[in-house]
């Protein structure tokens, strides 16, 4: 039986991979993230299955290839953490391009609704029998302008949701959809006219720090920025400075530039050493969540099924429709 080493395992990963495996593979579930220190755990494996914050750098990939691992099966869509070029010709890479675009788009709207109407604050107040509503004023979303950067699977669903709220849509994408029934505008116009800006593009050299000091200077003073894509899209220091100086209205962050060290784990007893993340998390107009936008039953099932199908296709010599190359 072929062996899979599954890194960064959480209880929900184990549950769904065990449900979907049907005794096809011998899966070892490791809680550790994959990185140069843990790569030796994959010594017996034919396949390595990794996630968003595993570190698949050149060393790790060359080491895995040397140990006889044949396939890296990413159980996520983004692969900015994978130096796949260094493995070309030695092993193959696959991913799960879409597991539930609805999960992420719906979560982005959830962040917006909570932040705008201060639902997270109201929840804390009423649990303490504080029924005062001072300071909880929001704005009507109806008639406001939302700027969507990246109009792929998730961006388009988010646009549909925003339309349901009666919002005006402005979009930016380097590959605009010619059949789109919404308006594409240059990035500068999107920055200056939007009341809400939501990021739905991948992290690439071009998009790194797409939200930086210069971009923020063009925005409305009450703009709410939503990032459910990748932390590196926002320059954290610039975002923090703008929030502190009240040059923007708020931020909903499901991802963070340096999240790999902190997200998905419980640090409540020790606290964290990342001052920017600690300060952002403590700000009244910021809502930080721990990369959970994908976390629905449907998405977890799709992740497990598509990952195992990708692995089947590899061993059966079929076309790798989800290959990273
Ligand atoms: P997608 O590939 O369907 O769409 C991405 C869009 O971004 C494409 O239309 C592409 O043309 C556009 N794009 C690429 N470069 C751009 C640029 N420089 N400027 C503007 N647009 C650009 O991807 P998707 O499934 O919609 O996912 C979007 C992102 O969401 C992923 O890259 C991933 O990082 C993130 N994501 C996050 C979670 C989470 O749990 N928070 C889960 C899944 C995906």
């Amino acid at each position: 039986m072929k062996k899979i080493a599954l890194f960064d395992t959480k209880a929900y990963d184990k549950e769904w991979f065990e449900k979907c495996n049907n005794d096809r593979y011998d899966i070892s579930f490791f809680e550790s993230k994959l990185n140069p220190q843990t790569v030796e755990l994959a010594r017996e494996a034919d396949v390595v299955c990794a996630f968003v914050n595993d570190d698949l750098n050149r060393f790790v990939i060359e080491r895995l290839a040397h140990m006889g691992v044949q396939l890296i099966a990413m159980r996520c869509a983004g692969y900015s953490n994978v130096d796949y070029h260094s493995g070309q010709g030695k092993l193959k890479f696959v991913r799960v391009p879409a597991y539930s675009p609805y999960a992420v788009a719906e979560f982005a709207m959830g962040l917006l609704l909570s932040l705008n109407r201060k639902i997270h604050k109201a929840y804390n107040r009423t649990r303490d029998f504080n029924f005062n509503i001072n300071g909880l004023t929001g704005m009507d979303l109806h008639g406001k302008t939302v700027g969507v950067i990246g109009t792929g699977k998730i961006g388009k669903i988010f646009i549909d949701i925003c339309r349901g709220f009666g919002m005006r849509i402005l979009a930016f994408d380097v590959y605009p959809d010619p059949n789109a029934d919404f308006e594409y505008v240059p990035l500068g116009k999107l920055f200056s006219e939007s009341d809400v800006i939501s990021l739905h593009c991948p992290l690439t050299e071009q998009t790194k720090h797409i939200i930086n000091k210069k971009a923020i200077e063009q925005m409305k003073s009450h703009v709410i920025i939503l990032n459910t894509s990748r932390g590196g899209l926002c320059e954290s220091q610039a975002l923090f400075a703008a929030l502190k100086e009240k040059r923007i209205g708020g931020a909903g962050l499901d991802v963070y530039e340096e999240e790999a060290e902190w997200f998905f784990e419980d640090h409540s007893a020790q606290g964290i050493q990342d001052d920017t993340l600690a300060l952002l998390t403590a700000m009244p107009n910021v809502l930080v969540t721990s990369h959970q936008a994908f976390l629905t039953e449907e998405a977890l099932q799709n992740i497990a099924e598509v990952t195992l199908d990708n692995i089947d296709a590899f061993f059966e010599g079929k076309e790798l429709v989800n290959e990273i190359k």
Side-chain angles (χ1 to χ4, degrees):
M1 195 184 275
K2 298 288 184 194
K3 292 185 173 168
I4 303 175
L6 195 142
F7 283 85
D8 200 7
T9 308
K10 298 287 182 288
Y12 46 80
D13 295 312
K14 192 160 186 280
E15 178 192 337
W16 281 101
F17 271 85
E18 280 178 343
K19 264 190 207 163
C20 299
N21 185 28
N22 293 326
D23 293 328
R24 274 181 284 178
Y25 298 100
D26 174 1
I27 308 180
S28 297
F29 294 97
F30 298 111
E31 284 181 18
S32 326
K33 288 193 177 63
L34 175 59
N35 58 41
Q37 287 74 46
T38 60
V39 64
E40 298 303 321
L41 290 169
R43 214 173 300 114
E44 311 272 291
D46 302 289
V47 179
V48 156
C49 181
F51 196 49
V52 289
N53 288 323
D54 290 307
D55 181 8
L56 287 93
N57 64 19
R58 188 186 189 92
F59 172 83
V60 168
I61 286 169
E62 286 180 353
R63 192 72 202 114
L64 290 174
H66 183 76
M67 291 190 301
V69 170
Q70 300 166 61
L71 180 70
I72 310 272
M74 298 304 296
R75 56 179 193 281
C76 50
Y79 49 92
S80 52
N81 55 330
V82 185
D83 184 3
Y84 59 98
H85 295 294
S86 64
Q88 295 300 332
K90 296 178 202 144
L91 31 67
K92 296 268 186 193
F93 299 82
V94 285
R95 66 179 181 128
V96 182
Y99 23 98
S100 174
Y102 297 100
V104 182
E106 289 168 9
F107 192 85
M109 179 48 86
L111 281 179
L112 175 57
L113 290 173
S114 300
L115 261 173
N116 175 36
R117 302 302 302 275
K118 327 259 188 308
I119 297 169
H120 53 307
K121 285 167 176 272
Y123 172 78
N124 283 332
R125 283 191 193 181
T126 55
R127 280 172 68 87
D128 203 23
F129 305 122
N130 174 357
F131 299 107
N132 186 319
I133 60 170
N134 281 330
L136 301 185
T137 310
M139 61 177 172
D140 279 14
L141 291 180
H142 182 89
K144 296 295 186 303
T145 299
V146 58
V148 178
I149 301 179
T151 57
K153 293 176 283 299
I154 297 171
K156 282 209 179 91
I157 294 167
F158 184 71
I159 287 172
D160 277 348
I161 294 172
C162 291
R163 276 203 189 114
F165 279 78
M167 299 183 81
R168 171 188 175 229
I169 314 291
L170 297 179
F172 174 79
D173 196 303
V174 276
Y175 301 107
D177 177 355
N179 302 315
D181 53 359
F182 47 81
E183 187 187 358
Y184 283 101
V185 294
L187 211 42
K189 183 174 161 85
L190 184 149
F191 286 150
S192 63
E193 294 191 13
S194 298
D195 302 290
V196 176
I197 294 175
S198 197
L199 303 172
H200 299 290
C201 57
L203 177 62
T204 63
E205 273 173 31
Q206 292 75 44
T207 60
K208 185 167 184 321
H209 292 174
I210 196 166
I211 302 299
N212 54 24
K213 187 168 184 281
K214 214 169 131 221
I216 290 170
E217 278 166 4
Q218 301 169 59
M219 295 178 192
K220 291 184 177 179
S221 60
H222 62 259
V223 69
I224 292 177
I225 297 173
L226 305 172
N227 189 3
T228 53
S229 276
R230 283 292 179 268
L233 298 175
C234 288
E235 192 185 348
S236 312
Q237 287 295 340
L239 189 68
F240 171 67
L243 285 157
K244 192 174 147 196
E245 291 156 23
K246 303 210 169 16
R247 272 188 283 114
I248 57 173
L253 308 172
D254 186 49
V255 287
Y256 172 68
E257 247 182 310
E258 307 296 334
E259 70 178 45
E261 205 174 338
W262 311 110
F263 278 20
F264 299 113
E265 308 297 336
D266 180 1
H267 302 282
S268 56
Q270 306 84 15
I272 56 169
Q273 279 77 51
D274 184 320
D275 292 347
T276 309
L277 178 58
L279 288 166
L280 280 170
T281 307
M283 290 184 118
N285 49 352
V286 178
L287 190 44
V288 174
T289 51
S290 186
H291 207 137
Q292 71 171 83
F294 74 98
L295 195 63
T296 64
E297 296 278 317
E298 292 80 355
L300 289 170
Q301 181 170 357
N302 283 337
I303 287 171
E305 283 178 353
V306 176
T307 301
L308 291 164
D309 288 350
N310 284 340
I311 297 171
D312 287 350
F314 175 78
F315 287 117
E316 288 165 12
K318 291 185 183 155
E319 187 196 354
L320 292 180
V321 287
N322 296 323
E323 185 170 4
I324 306 171
K325 54 185 175 182

